[in-house]
Structures are given as C-alpha cells and as structure tokens.
Amino acid sequence: MSERSARRRSAVVVLLAALAAACSPPPPPPPQVPPPGAQARAISLPFDRYNFTPADISIIERAEDLLVRDCMRSRGLVWETLPPPAEDDLEPPNRRRYGIVEPEIARLYGYHVAPERPSVARRSAASESRTASPSEQERRAAYDESGGCLRQARARIEQGAPEVDSALFNQLITRTFEQSRREAAVVQVFRAWSACMRAGGWRYDDPLAAITDQRWLGGGPATDEEIRAARADERCKVSTGLVAVWAVAEKRLQEDAVRVHPETFEALKAAKDRQLETARTIIAEAR
C-alpha cells in the first residue's frame, strides 16, 4: 500500500469514527436530585422547638452575609453575598435520624447522603468561590477574630439573646436518643424490622447498623447491592411501623427532659427566637 493510500484509509477510519460518535446518543444526564420526601419532613420532635433547623440557619447566615457586606464596604472592600437557597431545597432537621426513610432516595443513592438540591448547590459553589483566594486585606477584614466583619455580624445577631447551656442541650440530645433505642417498644420493633431484613438476605440488628455498614462508607456512588439493601430497609420500616414507634418513644423522653430542665429550655427557646427575629429584621431592612 502506498503512503498516500494509507493516509486516505486512515482519514476514512477517523471520519467513520467521528460519524459514529455523532450518531450515538449522548450519555444520559444524571438523575435530578429529588426534594426531601414527605417521610423525612414528617419526623418532628420536641427538641426541634429549641434547636436551629437548617431553615433557621439559612435565615441567620443570610443576615450575617448582608451585615458583612455592609461592613466590608465601609472598609472599602467588596463582599459578594451568596444566593439564598430555596426553602424547599433545605434538609428537614431529622431526615436521617432513624436511618433511610425515603424510598426515592434509597432507590437513587442507597445509604449515601443525597447530593445537594440545585439552589443549595449553587450557594455552596458560590461560597467556595468566594473563599478560594481572598487577599490578605480581605481575609483580615472579614475573618479576624478580634474585630472582623463576620465576628461583628454574629455579635449583632446574638445581641440581647440570653446565655444558653448548649453543652447540656447536646448531652440531652444524645442521651435521650440512646435511651430511646433501649425502650421496650423500640427493641421489639427493631426485632421485627431485623426479621424483615433477614427475609431479604440482610442481617442487621437495627437500622443504625445498616446505615453504618462499612461496605457503604467508601467513596464513589452507591453499588447495586447497597441500593437493594437500602430499599429493603425502607420497606421494612414501613411494614413494621418502625419510625412511628421509635419517634413516639423519643418524643416522650425529650418531653421528660424539658420538664426536668425548664430554665435551660426556656433560655434556648428565647435565644433562638431573638436571633431569628433580629435576622429577619436585618433581611427585611436590606430589601
């Protein structure tokens, strides 16, 4: 074969490959991240009244952002505020408290945490971009612990809020959760759930053992095996009524804790309400 013929054949092969690629269907887009399911949104506990939910934190962070922007401008510097996330995109406060409870999340991601919803992802990307390479002057003005704009913003939002015993609150959150796992009704429903899982070939004593299985904790997307386990887990929770039984037990324990520590919880509620009121006022004034 002459050199010219070889080049012509090579060109034909490249052209055919290009045509094949052009005619091949594009790869399917990744599935759209579904919003948090009704199952997760329905889990409500007494301590929620005293703790900051993801929606509450979003309000406070938005107010902080606006205060920092104004503070930085007063110093001749620029601070790009972050786009606020849509409220429907924010995590429910108890989404994974009892393990996987949403069938669509189990189907798509197994036991993995679902990716951020679009507006939350945009905010995260903007935050990363903003903090990627600030100048030394911008860094000191924004983040200095002795008088930076962020510290000033937080002080403004916390002004007038009572002191709270957050260490005791955190201890009570952990203690009541662990106690709830040992309640007779919860132990019984764990056994029913475990038997349901065994019927599908999965051996776990309780849902926390399933979601923390080392096989699911590595990097990368969920495997087919993980997705099958997570879907079986969610179905067994439904068939045994596990979430309702567990939540009833934990609600009673949390209500008991509130009655035993009334002053602590009154201060927690007052501090939360005051900070949210201040934050909403700041946002309204910025409009």
Side-chain angles (χ1 to χ4, degrees):
M1 181 186 298
S2 70
E3 182 179 351
R4 179 177 298 177
S5 298
R7 284 200 302 269
R8 187 184 303 115
R9 181 176 179 181
S10 176
V12 170
V13 170
V14 170
L15 176 62
L16 290 174
L19 288 171
C23 295
S24 298
Q32 184 179 4
V33 180
Q39 302 85 354
R41 294 194 184 278
I43 302 173
S44 175
L45 295 168
F47 282 4
D48 294 345
R49 296 184 64 241
Y50 309 96
N51 209 356
F52 290 97
T53 67
D56 296 333
I57 293 169
S58 175
I59 292 169
I60 289 174
E61 288 181 343
R62 176 62 176 165
E64 284 180 351
D65 211 19
L66 293 167
L67 291 175
V68 172
R69 179 198 64 186
D70 294 345
C71 175
M72 294 287 276
R73 283 178 179 173
S74 72
R75 302 182 186 194
L77 299 169
V78 174
W79 180 267
E80 296 291 341
T81 58
L82 303 177
E87 187 172 353
D88 289 346
D89 285 351
L90 294 170
E91 293 268 315
N94 302 302
R95 187 174 194 178
R96 292 169 68 86
R97 189 173 195 84
Y98 305 130
I100 191 77
V101 299
E102 300 160 275
E104 189 66 3
I105 297 300
R107 183 182 71 82
L108 292 172
Y109 308 108
Y111 287 111
H112 280 53
V113 175
E116 293 177 332
R117 289 275 293 163
S119 67
V120 179
R122 284 194 294 272
R123 187 186 188 282
S124 297
S127 179
E128 290 177 8
S129 176
R130 187 175 68 184
T131 58
S133 56
S135 68
E136 181 62 22
Q137 183 184 17
E138 291 169 337
R139 188 193 63 77
R140 284 199 310 270
Y143 303 112
D144 184 74
E145 284 297 318
S146 62
C149 291
L150 184 57
R151 184 178 180 87
Q152 292 182 27
R154 288 176 179 166
R156 163 80 184 281
I157 291 171
E158 293 170 3
Q159 186 176 7
E163 293 289 328
V164 298
D165 192 343
S166 56
L168 174 60
F169 186 38
N170 290 331
Q171 289 170 13
L172 291 171
I173 291 171
T174 302
R175 187 187 307 165
T176 53
F177 180 76
E178 290 303 322
Q179 288 173 339
S180 73
R181 297 175 65 188
R182 299 191 293 272
E183 290 284 300
V186 176
V187 171
Q188 184 176 353
V189 82
F190 280 176
R191 289 174 182 158
W193 173 89
S194 183
C196 177
M197 291 292 283
R198 278 199 307 275
W202 312 99
R203 295 187 174 274
Y204 297 110
D205 291 335
D206 61 53
L208 298 188
I211 201 169
T212 58
D213 190 323
Q214 292 296 316
R215 289 177 294 176
W216 325 137
L217 299 181
T223 62
D224 291 343
E225 181 184 17
E226 176 186 343
I227 288 174
R228 287 196 300 273
R231 298 185 75 180
D233 180 348
E234 184 274 329
R235 288 194 298 268
C236 287
K237 284 191 178 82
V238 172
S239 66
T240 60
L242 183 145
V243 172
V245 172
W246 196 352
V248 165
E250 195 175 9
K251 285 176 183 177
R252 179 175 53 78
L253 291 165
Q254 289 190 0
E255 288 168 351
D256 290 345
V258 173
R259 283 192 292 270
V260 172
H261 304 277
E263 294 181 357
T264 295
F265 283 93
E266 287 170 8
L268 286 163
K269 184 67 165 60
K272 174 183 174 178
D273 290 348
R274 180 57 182 266
Q275 291 183 55
L276 285 170
E277 180 184 3
T278 301
R280 290 189 176 102
T281 298
I282 291 166
I283 294 169
E285 290 174 349
R287 296 194 182 113

